Amino acid sequence: KFQDSSALGDDTSGNGNDLSATNLASTDQTTDSPTQNFATLDPNRKGTMTLLEGNLNADSTQAGAFRSVFATLGMVSGKYYWEVEADAIGSGTFRLYGIATGGGTTASLNTYIGASTDTMCFQPRGNGSDVDDVYFNGTATALSSQTTISAGDILNFAYDSTNGHLWFGINGTYVYSGDPANGTNPVISGISGSSGNPAFFGMSFYDTNELHICNFGQRSFTYTPPTGFVALQQDNLPETAKGISGLV
């Protein structure tokens, strides 16, 4: 069943036909299965970057141009939480995280989230002298502080799809006094999902040497999700009229 993270090849039938695990670590175990479908990164909706480890790792390999990637599961209502480990950080300041509805995803693949209609994003300026920015439908607004992201940081995302609020945190602390559980001080607002036009999480990079590892709940979260927020998993999405969890 691959359920023992310390012995992924363990034969649980009692017959002792164990499989040898090669190049597998305990972190390679996930609960993603045909009956437990979690979001991953979508290989059909990405710019020029490489997806690894079951489409959970985004590796930016092209310098001097933006590229974006989006998650596979869209949100039309409800509150969702996920984490991204900033495993490697490039030398520049251009990394953006945000939300795009269906109409904005295609246009954003080879530019940055927030550049086109129906998109919004947060841009930390961890390696530069400028302050943070938010982008909404192509318009940038400068914020009051500078958020630093370092290699190894766990980025926290809480998104209220019903009201279009996105919170961003680092290692369990949300920027700009954000409080997702109480619904206050989101880092950016205005893009919500709707029936037939779901909202998708996306990331954009400009530099090489950017490696981000996503966790939508198929592994244990490093930090406890805010009260009322759930993993981005099929069973947590609203039921369609046909009784099938998922979105068109």
Side-chain angles (χ1 to χ4, degrees):
K1 296 180 180 179
F2 307 104
Q3 62 188 6
D4 185 347
S5 62
S6 64
L8 289 174
D10 182 42
D11 176 11
T12 57
S13 71
N15 294 320
N17 296 317
D18 294 348
L19 300 176
S20 297
T22 302
N23 295 326
L24 292 175
S26 60
T27 53
D28 292 316
Q29 181 196 34
T30 77
T31 56
D32 209 330
S33 74
T35 59
Q36 292 284 314
N37 293 305
F38 291 81
T40 63
L41 299 175
D42 192 341
N44 296 311
R45 288 191 297 172
K46 69 178 183 66
T48 50
M49 67 175 67
T50 301
L51 301 185
L52 308 165
E53 298 286 337
N55 295 330
L56 290 174
N57 297 10
D59 186 6
S60 178
T61 57
Q62 178 179 332
F66 275 108
R67 80 283 304 146
S68 298
V69 62
F70 293 89
T72 54
L73 293 183
M75 299 162 279
V76 299
S77 63
K79 299 177 180 180
Y80 303 91
Y81 174 84
W82 59 90
E83 296 177 344
V84 178
E85 179 183 349
D87 188 71
I89 295 295
S91 59
T93 62
F94 300 113
R95 58 192 63 87
L96 304 92
Y97 312 91
I99 298 293
T101 55
T105 54
T106 300
S108 300
L109 293 181
N110 285 305
T111 181
Y112 58 89
I113 303 169
S116 57
T117 302
D118 300 325
T119 65
M120 66 179 186
C121 72
F122 173 64
Q123 181 183 15
R125 300 300 293 260
N127 293 320
S129 58
D130 296 335
V131 295
D132 301 335
D133 291 318
V134 294
Y135 289 80
F136 181 79
N137 287 339
T139 299
T141 300
L143 301 182
S144 59
S145 301
Q146 182 187 89
T147 299
T148 300
I149 297 177
S150 302
D153 282 344
I154 302 297
L155 312 182
N156 316 102
F157 295 89
Y159 176 57
D160 179 347
S161 178
T162 303
N163 297 297
H165 300 326
L166 178 67
W167 289 267
F168 177 88
I170 299 179
N171 300 326
T173 299
Y174 291 90
V175 300
Y176 298 97
S177 302
D179 188 345
N182 287 321
T184 57
N185 299 323
V187 70
I188 190 169
S189 299
I191 302 294
S192 58
S194 62
S195 179
N197 194 30
F200 294 88
F201 167 66
M203 303 183 292
S204 304
F205 307 112
Y206 188 82
D207 300 305
T208 58
N209 302 317
E210 293 276 351
L211 178 61
H212 281 47
I213 303 172
C214 296
N215 178 13
F216 296 100
Q218 48 267 94
R219 301 187 180 102
S220 297
F221 288 127
T222 302
Y223 296 91
T224 302
T227 300
F229 288 77
V230 296
L232 187 47
Q233 194 249 32
Q234 186 176 5
D235 289 348
N236 291 330
L237 299 176
E239 296 288 325
T240 68
K242 294 183 180 180
I244 302 174
S245 292
L247 300 172
V248 177

